[in-house]
Amino acid sequence: MPEFPVWYEHIHTCKQTGARVGKVHTPHGTFMTPAFMPVGTQASVKGMSPEEVSGMGAGIILSNTYHLWLRPGSDIVAEAGGLHKFMNWNGAVLTDSGGFQVFSLAKPKDIVEEGVKFSSHIDGRKLFLTPEISMQVQNDLGSDIIMAFDECCPYPSPKDYAKRSLERTTRWLDRCIEAHKRPDEQALFGIIQGSMYEDLRKISAEQITSRNLAGYAIGGISVGEPKELFLKMIDCTVPLMPEDKPRYLMGVGTPDYLIEGSCRGVDMFDCVLPTRMGRHGTILTDHGRKIIRDKKYARDFGPMDPGCDCYACRNYSAAYVRHLIKANEMFGLRLCTFHNIHYLLRLMERVREAIMNDRLGDFRDEYYKTISQEA
Amino acid sequence: MPEFPVWYEHIHTCKQTGARVGKVHTPHGTFMTPAFMPVGTQASVKGMSPEEVSGMGAGIILSNTYHLWLRPGSDIVAEAGGLHKFMNWNGAVLTDSGGFQVFSLAKPKDIVEEGVKFSSHIDGRKLFLTPEISMQVQNDLGSDIIMAFDECCPYPSPKDYAKRSLERTTRWLDRCIEAHKRPDEQALFGIIQGSMYEDLRKISAEQITSRNLAGYAIGGISVGEPKELFLKMIDCTVPLMPEDKPRYLMGVGTPDYLIEGSCRGVDMFDCVLPTRMGRHGTILTDHGRKIIRDKKYARDFGPMDPGCDCYACRNYSAAYVRHLIKANEMFGLRLCTFHNIHYLLRLMERVREAIMNDRLGDFRDEYYKTISQEA
């Protein structure tokens, strides 16, 4: 009997990179890792039906505690029978803690030991979010993986602030553990902070992983820092994370970051990139991004991404999708979003395959080569 | 061998009303009549995939010549292999002539014998639409049914204007017949005008039906007139239309108008109502319209329309759809649109069943009764 409702099963470690393939088991099914989690901020992956998202092979999605707390309210989601039932999604769900959104709305002086004061982005009303409230909301939502309430420092942050912040994040984690009311059904993950300082990352990793939790995340990176710093932070943090638990890199991202993270032993990623880019009529391909609304696709009667086998590329031409986007037709955004989510899910499949064949390093090199060449 | 690429097969006439069930055969499949045609103005039924529309049972959709002429341009659609291929729709397509949109953009003095001068709603550039251009554009689009270029008089219109206008519509029809280049693949329908004057309707019907065409339409009604006048105009026009050809009532509509039109022997209808209402978060039911964004649905965890078996009602609660609409989530509009198109297609199925059982008059009475009672 596993200790937690969510647990990691290791399958293979890549001899070339140390990347790993595994399975994460949850109360709502199992998904293969490394995994990309599409984001459904407000209980909907923008533009997509749940069947479309699961049909593409997504086993887990992310939803946002802050947004659902404000609208429709976690009490309504709880009354509906929880987030899975509310949105008709049978796979796994991870919810963030609300911290990331709240810190972007709060002034520095409004971050106090008890929690964070901020104004709602919807109607401006004053709100106060604490570790206890975050847990209560996430318990209401009933997500399979719930995240500890942490502070994500902006980039750059002074070292003394980053240190005080990570210490507070650890104290908040203990309050989360205490406040979490459904530990048999929902797995709490702790979040390692420490801004861009290697020694602080080490301190935070030691503190956070000393608490016995179902999984651990790296927070506070991919917040605007240069890529070298991003890689350095993962390099120094992942080795401090337990091998028998899932490792989640928050808010990542772009294809190259997903591959780099996987190379370093990360198991889970999430990002709004595929949905946000899709809504702007831009798609991801092995040869970089394509801005489908561009005039050069007006008479391109082939698929947006030749060789792609997604629903959009199998059935529609670049010229058609461009027309829909130019004409502000919803279906154009649906098709681009569909392609982008499919692209990242398929990319992770290719990453897992490369790991199984002990050649993720080669795969990375090949990917960087094709992505720099225009189609 | 039928004379036209689109032809009508009669199945049954309702003993109670004279309404008729039939089949319309087209180069892209057969559909049962009376039929409702969802509107895909810009080569997309707003928010829906072609599979979703056909999966609900729609055998024909309408698309707009004016919009496609301007964007992406009918040359691009022709290069793509025609509208069916461009939008990946395997059912039948009817295109309007562009007249309806153009007249709403043109000033009265810009309507001349040759055609209509107007400014593009996209970039304001000056354009000139004639019967010949309308035919050329519709030949490029490759729709199964193409409509003659006519003038739809505004309501109210002075009788002398309406008379001059209907005479011109007849002359334009002759130019359309002359200009139509693909008569073996695309069926041209003529349009009866005459504003709200019974004698003018009669004159127009005689003129238009004296031309041997695949089908005939009633235009220029449902333009803001009272319901009595609407019914009077159908009453006096339909009996003048041939029994062996499809009869199409343009721009209709609401559930009661669909039933009234069917009672009077109309076979085809189109309207933006289900998609437009869906995009505003309102749904059609047997008990009238429901504004799903209304607060009273915040904790309604049953389906939007109890008893409805559409995808939206089978899988989601009113509370969830309300949340999506309040949160500006695209998927909420998709679900409402889905329901509304399904509702009207299902309504036409019920109408056909009532005709087959010689009880469409009873069905109409029952419908008026339930629709006046709140759910």
Side-chain angles (χ1 to χ4, degrees):
Chain A
M1 185 67 190
E3 187 182 0
F4 296 104
V6 169
W7 52 283
Y8 181 74
E9 178 187 350
H10 179 260
I11 293 174
H12 185 77
T13 299
C14 173
K15 294 191 179 56
Q16 212 172 48
T17 58
R20 56 197 215 159
V21 161
K23 285 181 186 177
V24 174
H25 301 276
T26 83
H28 290 88
T30 293
F31 58 91
M32 299 291 298
T33 59
F36 175 77
M37 305 185 280
V39 177
T41 300
Q42 304 186 108
S44 170
V45 177
K46 289 193 187 299
M48 297 288 104
S49 72
E51 294 83 1
E52 285 166 346
V53 177
S54 64
M56 283 187 263
I60 178 168
I61 59 169
L62 181 145
S63 200
N64 291 99
T65 291
Y66 164 76
H67 285 97
L68 296 174
W69 180 39
L70 262 61
R71 190 168 57 192
S74 53
D75 54 332
I76 285 182
V77 178
E79 269 183 63
L83 196 47
H84 299 83
K85 209 173 157 201
F86 186 56
M87 66 181 290
N88 193 33
W89 168 256
N90 299 318
V93 176
L94 179 149
T95 43
D96 65 3
S97 69
F100 189 81
Q101 283 79 25
V102 160
F103 285 101
S104 70
L105 296 170
K107 298 184 191 75
K109 70 172 177 57
D110 293 331
I111 303 166
V112 296
E113 184 63 23
E114 175 64 13
V116 187
K117 284 180 252 184
F118 65 100
S119 300
S120 157
H121 77 289
I122 300 173
D123 54 14
R125 89 191 130 111
K126 299 270 180 236
L127 293 161
F128 192 61
L129 188 58
T130 65
E132 289 76 16
I133 294 173
S134 175
M135 287 299 106
Q136 192 205 312
V137 171
Q138 293 186 77
N139 285 164
D140 275 352
L141 298 175
S143 25
D144 303 280
I145 300 174
I146 66 178
M147 299 304 297
F149 187 68
D150 65 326
E151 181 181 358
C152 173
C153 289
Y155 174 77
S157 284
K159 191 165 183 178
D160 62 329
Y161 183 83
K163 179 145 200 312
R164 274 183 288 130
S165 168
L166 83 83
E167 302 278 3
R168 186 166 50 213
T169 285
T170 302
R171 290 192 298 276
W172 282 357
L173 172 58
D174 289 332
R175 286 167 57 189
C176 286
I177 295 168
E178 183 69 28
H180 179 20
K181 291 287 177 289
R182 300 174 66 182
D184 295 341
E185 301 149 282
Q186 299 179 279
L188 174 65
F189 280 25
I191 303 172
I192 298 163
Q193 291 289 349
S195 191
M196 301 299 158
Y197 305 99
E198 283 184 274
D199 52 343
L200 298 189
R201 286 276 160 192
K202 196 174 170 216
I203 293 170
S204 181
E206 274 164 9
Q207 292 182 359
I208 300 296
T209 61
S210 72
R211 276 70 177 172
N212 185 28
L213 297 168
Y216 302 94
I218 307 174
I221 63 176
S222 194
V223 288
E225 75 283 1
K227 188 168 179 178
E228 306 77 61
L229 211 46
F230 166 82
L231 296 177
K232 207 166 139 188
M233 288 305 112
I234 319 180
D235 276 333
C236 77
T237 309
V238 175
L240 305 172
M241 298 167 84
E243 288 195 353
D244 60 343
K245 306 274 177 75
R247 301 163 177 161
Y248 165 29
L249 179 55
M250 303 180 80
V252 169
T254 54
D256 57 330
Y257 276 39
L258 293 172
I259 297 170
E260 295 288 4
S262 298
C263 282
R264 287 159 174 84
V266 172
D267 305 308
M268 294 162 63
F269 306 87
D270 79 282
C271 193
V272 295
L273 183 85
T275 39
R276 183 166 295 169
M277 277 180 52
R279 290 202 307 288
H280 292 95
T282 296
I283 64 153
L284 296 161
T285 81
D286 274 5
H287 296 278
R289 297 178 186 191
K290 273 189 178 180
I291 300 165
I292 294 297
R293 63 180 303 128
D294 195 287
K295 194 167 179 163
K296 71 179 164 189
Y297 300 111
R299 286 165 194 275
D300 182 347
F301 300 111
M304 293 191 287
D305 183 8
C308 172
D309 65 345
C310 83
Y311 168 76
C313 290
R314 269 188 291 111
N315 295 295
Y316 304 91
S317 64
Y320 179 63
V321 181
R322 175 185 188 262
H323 159 65
L324 294 178
I325 289 165
K326 293 286 288 181
N328 296 315
E329 283 287 344
M330 240 193 283
F331 191 49
L333 313 179
R334 252 179 91 177
L335 290 175
C336 288
T337 302
F338 203 108
H339 170 83
N340 285 341
I341 294 177
H342 176 274
Y343 180 82
L344 290 187
L345 293 171
R346 179 81 190 92
L347 178 68
M348 299 318 284
E349 251 177 59
R350 292 154 73 193
V351 164
R352 292 194 295 269
E353 198 187 314
I355 295 171
M356 294 305 287
N357 294 322
D358 298 311
R359 60 180 305 282
L360 186 59
D362 294 346
F363 177 82
R364 172 180 51 191
D365 296 345
E366 292 157 13
Y367 192 84
Y368 277 122
K369 205 171 283 174
T370 63
I371 207 133
S372 62
Q373 294 161 340
E374 230 184 296
Chain B
M1 185 68 190
E3 187 182 0
F4 295 105
V6 169
W7 51 283
Y8 180 73
E9 179 187 351
H10 180 259
I11 294 175
H12 185 77
T13 298
C14 173
K15 294 192 181 54
Q16 212 172 48
T17 58
R20 55 197 216 159
V21 161
K23 285 182 185 177
V24 173
H25 300 276
T26 84
H28 290 87
T30 293
F31 58 91
M32 298 292 298
T33 59
F36 175 77
M37 305 185 280
V39 177
T41 298
Q42 305 186 108
S44 170
V45 177
K46 288 194 188 297
M48 298 288 102
S49 72
E51 294 82 1
E52 285 165 348
V53 177
S54 64
M56 282 187 263
I60 178 166
I61 60 168
L62 181 144
S63 200
N64 290 99
T65 291
Y66 164 76
H67 286 97
L68 296 173
W69 180 39
L70 262 60
R71 189 167 60 191
S74 54
D75 55 331
I76 285 182
V77 178
E79 269 183 64
L83 197 47
H84 298 82
K85 208 174 159 200
F86 187 56
M87 66 181 290
N88 193 35
W89 169 257
N90 300 318
V93 176
L94 178 150
T95 43
D96 65 3
S97 68
F100 189 81
Q101 283 80 25
V102 160
F103 286 101
S104 70
L105 296 168
K107 297 183 191 75
K109 71 171 175 59
D110 293 330
I111 303 166
V112 295
E113 184 64 23
E114 175 64 12
V116 187
K117 284 181 251 184
F118 66 100
S119 300
S120 156
H121 77 289
I122 300 172
D123 55 14
R125 88 190 131 110
K126 299 271 181 237
L127 293 161
F128 192 61
L129 188 58
T130 65
E132 289 77 16
I133 294 172
S134 175
M135 287 299 106
Q136 191 204 313
V137 171
Q138 293 186 77
N139 284 164
D140 276 352
L141 298 175
S143 25
D144 302 280
I145 299 174
I146 68 178
M147 299 304 297
F149 187 69
D150 65 325
E151 181 181 359
C152 173
C153 289
Y155 174 77
S157 283
K159 190 164 183 180
D160 63 329
Y161 183 83
K163 178 142 201 311
R164 273 184 287 130
S165 168
L166 83 84
E167 301 279 2
R168 186 164 51 212
T169 285
T170 302
R171 290 191 298 275
W172 282 357
L173 172 59
D174 290 331
R175 285 167 57 189
C176 286
I177 294 169
E178 182 70 27
H180 179 20
K181 291 284 178 294
R182 299 174 66 184
D184 295 341
E185 301 149 283
Q186 298 179 280
L188 174 64
F189 280 25
I191 303 172
I192 298 163
Q193 290 288 350
S195 190
M196 301 300 158
Y197 305 99
E198 283 183 272
D199 52 343
L200 297 189
R201 285 277 159 193
K202 196 174 169 217
I203 293 171
S204 181
E206 274 164 10
Q207 292 181 359
I208 299 297
T209 61
S210 74
R211 276 69 178 172
N212 185 27
L213 297 169
Y216 301 93
I218 306 174
I221 63 176
S222 194
V223 289
E225 75 282 2
K227 189 169 179 178
E228 305 78 61
L229 211 45
F230 166 82
L231 296 177
K232 206 167 140 187
M233 289 305 112
I234 320 180
D235 277 332
C236 77
T237 309
V238 175
L240 305 173
M241 298 167 82
E243 287 196 352
D244 60 344
K245 307 275 177 75
R247 301 163 177 162
Y248 164 30
L249 179 54
M250 303 181 80
V252 170
T254 53
D256 57 331
Y257 277 39
L258 293 172
I259 297 169
E260 296 288 4
S262 299
C263 282
R264 288 159 174 83
V266 171
D267 306 307
M268 296 162 62
F269 305 88
D270 79 283
C271 194
V272 295
L273 182 86
T275 41
R276 182 166 295 169
M277 278 181 53
R279 290 203 306 288
H280 291 95
T282 296
I283 64 152
L284 294 162
T285 81
D286 274 4
H287 296 278
R289 299 178 185 190
K290 274 189 177 181
I291 300 165
I292 294 296
R293 62 179 304 129
D294 196 287
K295 195 167 179 168
K296 69 178 164 190
Y297 300 112
R299 286 165 195 276
D300 181 347
F301 300 111
M304 293 190 287
D305 182 8
C308 173
D309 65 345
C310 83
Y311 167 77
C313 291
R314 270 189 289 111
N315 294 296
Y316 305 91
S317 64
Y320 179 62
V321 181
R322 175 186 188 260
H323 159 64
L324 294 179
I325 289 164
K326 293 285 289 178
N328 296 316
E329 283 288 343
M330 239 192 285
F331 191 48
L333 312 180
R334 252 179 90 177
L335 290 174
C336 288
T337 302
F338 203 108
H339 170 83
N340 285 341
I341 295 177
H342 176 274
Y343 181 83
L344 290 188
L345 293 172
R346 180 81 190 92
L347 178 67
M348 298 318 284
E349 252 177 59
R350 292 153 74 194
V351 164
R352 292 194 297 268
E353 199 187 313
I355 295 171
M356 294 305 286
N357 295 320
D358 297 311
R359 60 180 305 281
L360 186 59
D362 294 347
F363 177 82
R364 172 180 51 190
D365 296 345
E366 291 157 15
Y367 193 84
Y368 277 123
K369 207 172 281 174
T370 63
I371 206 133
S372 62
Q373 294 160 342
E374 230 184 295

